[in-house]
């Protein structure tokens, strides 16, 4: 018994032949036509030549196929030698080592990748330019970080040992940038393209190329906005894993942009327009996500108003507003954090650094007083901040701090420089039985000279600052540290190559 076909396909309708209603239908399959059901039903008209119609339909099908092929070539040209991949540059061993390092050390602070799906993408890396650029930028980012180890056979020629220096990371960075130019990622961005831009930002931050770093951070935030990550309604449907990673990525960009705005006096583009991640997204990640949420809440008060005042693009704050912001920072983190140790290092250091930034804004606007009842509005407040920071870092392992790279060292440097300035201007009570500000400063010097083996530009800069502001203290410090003299260090800072650390906050 035959069944009635409710609607013929577009080709059968034009040819005026019977259609069996499936996709593709029998007639289109036999005639090698594209079978579609897109046409809006219209009134029947006079019959035309079926041979003429089928010839016309074949021509349209050929044109559609050519157009589709051309669009694919424009998106990712496979034969262009300019954008082709460098054979053997990205080995399976290197990919495995970098992914392992990321999920072991970096993932709690930036939980934006899904490991099983990333491993699946690695399998298909030869068939996707987007995946190749993502993995290459991830490896570059990890290699610029301290601590990644790969087989010696994969080290860039001229390097020694199994610890790959930034030269290998820079080579992979250049590869990702070159190959990416052959893919139209701006017009049709995806989650992977936004993450790639973020990794590129991290690489250039670690290489101390801050104009280029800022460009790629802005690129990441712009692509995120094109994808609508700032709109909560875009998270109500779709794949749950994809939605969770997009939400986390938006908040990671939110935090990174604020830290970078304070460090480099940049404006903001992202705002708190979506909900925070939830702890029930993955039972195995409760601790990591709890720490990540604490990080977001720590930076959330730093909005356009504060950044505008910080960048001196707006005016009009008050003592009460600044004091309230200091209180928010004091209450932002609980006494006992539900986080990993590396997250605790980032959270505790960032908290004291942000308190220092608010104090600096207070003194810039002339709101401090020696007689203020609120200690946060006094000139000696950085001494209290330094005391708290020394206390928390004393309970952290060196590895938990080093994993955050130059970003954490820069924050220690900012707090130490502020303490140095206060010590040079504000008299303090000397009590031989109590810990003094100079003890805190010595602790900061010890930390900065220990982290990364003292191999950062901030140690000689801090020694130079102390030599200028506290000359009586500089000579004993120089003798106590197994380092170069102050003057040689400062000169070396400007003659040496840039630092190879990364995490921007």
């Amino acid at each position: 018994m035959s069944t009635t076909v409710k609607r013929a396909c577009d080709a059968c309708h034009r040819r005026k032949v019977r259609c069996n209603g499936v996709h593709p239908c029998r007639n289109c399959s036999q005639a090698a036509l594209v079978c579609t059901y897109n046409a809006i039903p219209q009134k029947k008209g006079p019959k035309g030549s079926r041979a003429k119609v089928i010839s016309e339909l074949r021509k349209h099908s050929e044109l559609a196929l050519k157009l589709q092929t051309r669009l694919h070539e424009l998106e990712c040209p496979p034969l262009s030698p300019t954008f082709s991949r460098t054979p053997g540059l990205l080995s399976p061993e290197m990919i495995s080592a970098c992914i392992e390092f990321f999920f072991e050390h970096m993932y709690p602070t930036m939980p934006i990748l899904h490991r099983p799906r990333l491993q699946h993408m690695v399998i298909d890396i030869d068939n996707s330019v987007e995946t190749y650029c993502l993995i290459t930028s991830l490896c570059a980012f990890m290699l610029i970080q301290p601590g990644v180890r790969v087989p010696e056979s994969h080290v860039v020629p001229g390097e020694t040992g199994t610890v790959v220096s930034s030269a290998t990371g820079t080579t992979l960075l250049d590869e990702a940038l070159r190959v990416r130019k052959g893919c139209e990622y701006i017009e049709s961005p995806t989650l992977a393209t936004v993450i790639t831009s973020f990794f590129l930002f991290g690489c250039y931050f670690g290489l101390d190329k801050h104009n280029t770093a800022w460009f790629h951070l802005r690129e990441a935030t712009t692509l995120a906005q094109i994808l609508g990550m700032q709109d909560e309604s875009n998270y109500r449907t779709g794949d749950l894993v994809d939605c969770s990673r997009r939400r986390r990525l938006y908040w990671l960009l939110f935090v990174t942009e604020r830290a970078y705005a304070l460090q480099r006096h940049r404006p903001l583009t992202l705002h708190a327009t979506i909900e925070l991640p939830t702890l029930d997204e993955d039972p195995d990640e409760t601790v990591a996500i709890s720490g990540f949420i604490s990080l977001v809440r720590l930076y959330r008060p730093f909005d356009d108003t504060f950044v505008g005042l910080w960048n001196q693009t707006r005016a009009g704050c008050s003592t009460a507003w600044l004091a309230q912001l200091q209180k928010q920072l004091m209450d932002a983190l609980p006494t006992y954090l539900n986080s990993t140790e590396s997250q605790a290092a980032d959270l505790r250091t960032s908290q004291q650094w942000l308190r220092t930034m608010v104090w600096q804004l207070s003194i810039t606007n002339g709101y401090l007083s020696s007689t203020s009842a609120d200690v946060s509005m006094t000139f000696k407040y950085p001494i209290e901040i330094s005391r708290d920071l020394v206390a928390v870092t004393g309970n952290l392992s060196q590895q938990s701090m080093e994993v955050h790279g130059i970003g954490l060292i820069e924050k220690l440097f900012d707090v130490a420089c502020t303490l140095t300035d206060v010590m040079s201007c504000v008299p303090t009570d000397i009590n031989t039985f109590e810990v003094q500000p100079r003890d805190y400063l010595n602790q900061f010097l010890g930390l900065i000279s220990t982290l990364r083996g003292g191999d950062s530009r901030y140690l000689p800069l801090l020694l130079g600052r102390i030599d200028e502001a506290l000359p009586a203290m500089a000579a004993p410090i120089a003798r106590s540290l197994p380092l170069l003299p102050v003057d040689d260090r400062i000169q070396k800072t400007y003659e040496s190559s840039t630092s190879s650390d990364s995490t921007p906050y």
Side-chain angles (χ1 to χ4, degrees), residues 468-486:
E468 179 182 354
L470 303 168
M473 186 178 175
I477 289 175
R479 288 195 299 268
S480 65
L481 293 174
L483 303 165
L484 294 173
V486 173

Side-chain angles (χ1 to χ4, degrees), residues 9 20-26 29 34-37:
C9 73
N20 63 358
V22 298
H23 187 274
C25 72
R26 185 188 310 111
S29 299
V34 177
C35 187
T36 62
Y37 290 82

Side-chain angles (χ1 to χ4, degrees), residues 492-493 495-499:
K492 182 186 175 186
T493 300
E495 294 176 349
S496 62
S497 59
T498 55
S499 172

Side-chain angles (χ1 to χ4, degrees), residues 32-45:
L33 298 175
V34 177
C35 187
T36 62
Y37 290 82
N38 299 329
I40 301 174
Q42 299 177 350
K43 293 182 179 180
K44 294 181 179 180

Side-chain angles (χ1 to χ4, degrees), residues 429-440:
D429 298 329
I430 298 178
N431 188 328
T432 56
F433 298 101
E434 294 182 359
V435 179
Q436 298 297 312
R438 65 167 49 239
D439 299 313
Y440 304 142

